[in-house]
Amino acid sequence: MNKIEFSFSDLIAGYVTQFDKTKDAFGLKTSDNREFLVQLTPTVFAELIRNLGEAYRDATAQMREMLVPGRFVFVYGVFYPDAENSEQNFEAKHIVFLGRTENEYLFEKQNWWIKQVRELAEFYIKAEFGDGEIDYSQYRTNLTITGDKQKSGRQETDTISRLVYGFASAYLLTGDDHFLEAAEKGTKYLREHMRFRDESEGICYWYHAVDIKEDGSEQKIFASEFGDDYDAIPCYEQIYALAGPTQTYRITGDSRIIRDIKATVNLFHRFFKDKTQKGGYYSHIDPITLSPYSESLGRNRAKKNWNSVGDHAPAYLINLWLATGEQEYADFLEYTFDTIATYFPDYSNSPFVQEKFNDDWSKDYQTVQQNRAIVGHNLKIAWNLTRMHSLKAKETYKDFAEKIGHIIPSVGCDRQRGGWYDMVERVLAPGQKFHRLVWHDRKAWWQQEQGILAYYIMAGVYKDPNFIQFAREGAAFYNAYFLDTDSGGVYFNVLANGQPYALGTERGKGSHSMAGYHSFELCYLAAIYTNLLINKEPMDFFFKPQPGGFPDNILRVQPDILPPGSIRIDEVWINGHKYIDFDAEALTIKLPTDQTEIKIRVRIIPADIDFDADLMEVTDGVAKINMAGSLEPSMLKYLKEELEKAHGVTGVVLNMEDLKSISDESLRYLAFYKQKAGGNFSITISGAQGAVKEAIEQSELNEEVSLV
């Protein structure tokens, strides 16, 4: 009864075990160790994974040679119920490779996420403002799948703030002034159109939205008009109103921004916080009385949840601490994470955390969520507990994060196809083996982000090899199936098999639920975790502080909360010139006071790296690369990467003024590089001195290059 006696298409994600040339088939083992035999068909095609803004890269001709043991691939194909023993034959139609070799993951390349964040920022600037001036009066919350504005004139505060976060993050990674302009103008627009300051109470809160009427006039929407939050002020909306301004403040130090942030934090402490011994933060307050106990709140009266307690940290509070270093915000973080560690674990009843609570921390099952788990919230807790553990090490944080990291894949991850599910029943019913999916088996973009970031940072901090596997599998699924390489941006949802889901409110690239936040945050932090923690690659960050903006003229440039002593400043440039007044270990820069406008580029490297190469410019077809430190064989990859960036030039100038030593292998590499580049290619070495100059002369490399 109910036998599968029909064909159906599906996706398998797994590791190649063997290739049988005689059968033109290969073995594929899933992440949870189930093996399939995949038959290649005459019409199968293969491609390399591609980033936003990149063209299709065919791998069909090479796919059989690429199907080597250990390689992780995605195979989309058709199951046929005509195998022996009632099994299914699986015939491949489409294969996605994650790299050119079996051990390469292209999304872990140094600039992958940086390129992606640039493409995302350009997509949203084009969608919201076209080719003209950046004017937020033209902003609209709702965008179609191609980035066109829908008819509604609504501008939601949180979606503007989240987009501002995206533009600010894109500037931090790229230094593109257009992105900072978008972040600063968006922050100003929020301040002038969405902010309500109550000077008598010393607080600031934010309107839910503004409706732009056909005549251009505005109607402000004070209380929320969204779903379960209707006619209330939900804590999470006030939290996310700070996301964009806080990330912008990290760059500029704008004193107007920090005043608004502090006043909103006062709102949280005065009106959302439970000041009794029960503790925590309420999820909603009444818009008139600002009380969480008002009868008008209905089922939201005196409730607490993940969003009201935990979302402070990722949305703005960690970034606020990074920008200021103030103990007040470190204490706020510790309070929220202690609360989470105390009340959210529920492992005697469910493999998922408890997310919804009554006033006394008893379980709340009266919401739409009922006794259900949002997979992404579990992952988000693991990710942020790990960040907090690096600020204030507590075994409770580490143990809770690792507990989630080990238990959640078996109940919230699709081990057949890849990716993370959405909402599931927290408890198995009698006779069930699988936690039931509540609405559907689709996968949302933001939950993939939580999984990728959680496992990358846990892999970098806790060094568990299982964590890097889950990080890579999650990043592979996201980059293979969520990027809209035709229209730009990322899809809200994909089906379980990775195909885009494009119906209803989940069709667009902008809505109450989707703006430029999670996709940008993923790019920003995945770049940091993969480069600085996993692959030990240097990164550049950009800042543009206002004169006198930061207290004591100290700019804090730590990109995220990482393990103490794991990274340091290597070099700093102000307006293109080297600058030396910085504390490498403290990750701070003493800003000059004699310049009215400064743009800072700071290179941050893993603490155990002692070499740096940097492509400074390309002029008239000649690339200039600065080198510093000791060029040992293990560091040669950094020079290779910079030379690869200069592809197509007719020559390079290697500035070795700050180079302390150079290995024989590195000298041989330069000789080989010159040979492969051709007889008309020029290499000029400038500034070499001492042991470096002597090594070059002894190797006779100076006969192949110009030594000046």
Side-chain angles (χ1 to χ4, degrees), residues 294-306:
S294 174
E295 295 293 341
S296 66
L297 294 172
R299 64 184 180 189
N300 287 322
R301 181 178 182 272
K303 297 296 178 67
K304 301 163 186 175
N305 60 30
W306 153 253

Side-chain angles (χ1 to χ4, degrees), residues 18-26 64-65:
Q18 50 86 24
F19 181 73
D20 188 334
K21 291 183 180 180
T22 61
K23 295 181 179 179
D24 204 23
F26 65 97
R64 288 170 176 80
E65 289 73 25

Side-chain angles (χ1 to χ4, degrees), residues 430-490:
Q432 292 180 350
K433 296 181 179 179
F434 300 93
H435 287 265
R436 291 313 195 245
L437 302 168
V438 176
W439 307 115
H440 48 65
D441 63 354
R442 300 194 294 274
K443 299 160 185 173
W445 94 105
W446 74 267
Q447 308 215 41
Q448 314 313 307
E449 179 220 6
Q450 311 305 313
I452 294 166
L453 296 182
Y455 281 100
Y456 267 128
I457 195 171
M458 288 195 294
V461 174
Y462 305 138
K463 311 301 182 185
D464 188 318
N466 291 317
F467 292 161
I468 192 64
Q469 175 187 337
F470 290 127
R472 286 171 173 158
E473 291 175 359
F477 186 82
Y478 179 85
N479 283 289
Y481 296 105
F482 275 89
L483 308 187
D484 186 346
T485 53
D486 291 324
S487 298
V490 302

Side-chain angles (χ1 to χ4, degrees), residues 299-446:
R299 64 184 180 189
N300 287 322
R301 181 178 182 272
K303 297 296 178 67
K304 301 163 186 175
N305 60 30
W306 153 253
N307 300 101
S308 65
V309 176
D311 262 346
H312 293 274
Y316 75 91
L317 191 52
I318 284 177
N319 290 323
L320 182 57
W321 180 82
L322 290 168
T324 65
E326 292 185 14
Q327 188 61 42
E328 171 190 353
Y329 305 127
D331 292 342
F332 189 176
L333 283 167
E334 185 178 7
Y335 175 82
T336 61
F337 284 108
D338 283 350
T339 303
I340 291 166
T342 300
Y343 296 110
F344 284 58
D346 189 38
Y347 292 114
S348 61
N349 299 297
S350 170
F352 300 99
V353 301
Q354 176 66 31
E355 302 176 38
K356 304 281 187 176
F357 302 92
N358 296 307
D359 191 9
D360 61 357
W361 294 106
S362 60
K363 297 174 182 178
D364 174 20
Y365 295 146
Q366 303 307 308
T367 67
V368 172
Q369 188 171 332
Q370 299 178 28
N371 189 19
R372 295 161 176 166
I374 296 176
V375 173
H377 287 169
N378 289 259
L379 296 163
K380 201 172 189 179
I381 290 170
W383 160 41
N384 285 283
L385 280 168
T386 304
R387 299 166 93 185
M388 187 62 198
H389 182 65
S390 292
L391 176 60
K392 184 152 190 176
K394 289 187 178 182
E395 288 302 306
T396 51
Y397 300 161
K398 178 177 182 290
D399 291 346
F400 191 4
E402 289 188 305
K403 177 78 170 181
I404 294 172
H406 288 299
I407 202 171
I408 201 72
S410 63
V411 291
C413 182
D414 185 346
R415 308 296 293 278
Q416 168 80 15
R417 308 167 189 87
W420 298 91
Y421 286 121
D422 184 2
M423 186 184 288
V424 301
E425 298 290 348
R426 293 183 67 250
V427 178
L428 293 172
Q432 292 180 350
K433 296 181 179 179
F434 300 93
H435 287 265
R436 291 313 195 245
L437 302 168
V438 176
W439 307 115
H440 48 65
D441 63 354
R442 300 194 294 274
K443 299 160 185 173
W445 94 105
W446 74 267

Side-chain angles (χ1 to χ4, degrees), residues 173-230:
L173 290 181
T174 67
D176 190 318
D177 289 330
H178 201 43
F179 301 155
L180 181 57
E181 178 190 358
E184 290 189 298
K185 285 186 174 180
T187 300
K188 180 181 179 183
Y189 194 83
L190 287 168
R191 181 167 60 243
E192 294 179 350
H193 295 262
M194 275 76 173
R195 184 191 66 183
F196 188 106
R197 287 190 68 93
D198 188 334
E199 301 294 349
S200 64
E201 295 283 1
I203 62 173
C204 168
Y205 46 88
W206 304 83
Y207 290 105
H208 169 73
V210 169
D211 280 341
I212 308 297
K213 299 181 180 180
E214 291 186 3
D215 62 1
S217 62
E218 297 181 359
Q219 178 181 351
K220 296 186 186 297
I221 310 298
F222 180 34
S224 180
E225 290 191 344
F226 184 74
D228 284 351
D229 308 317
Y230 201 84

Side-chain angles (χ1 to χ4, degrees), residues 14 22 66 112 253 356 382 431 434 537 539 598 704:
T22 61
M66 296 174 71
W112 177 276
K356 304 281 187 176
F434 300 93
E537 300 274 10
M539 285 188 70
I598 58 176
E704 298 295 324

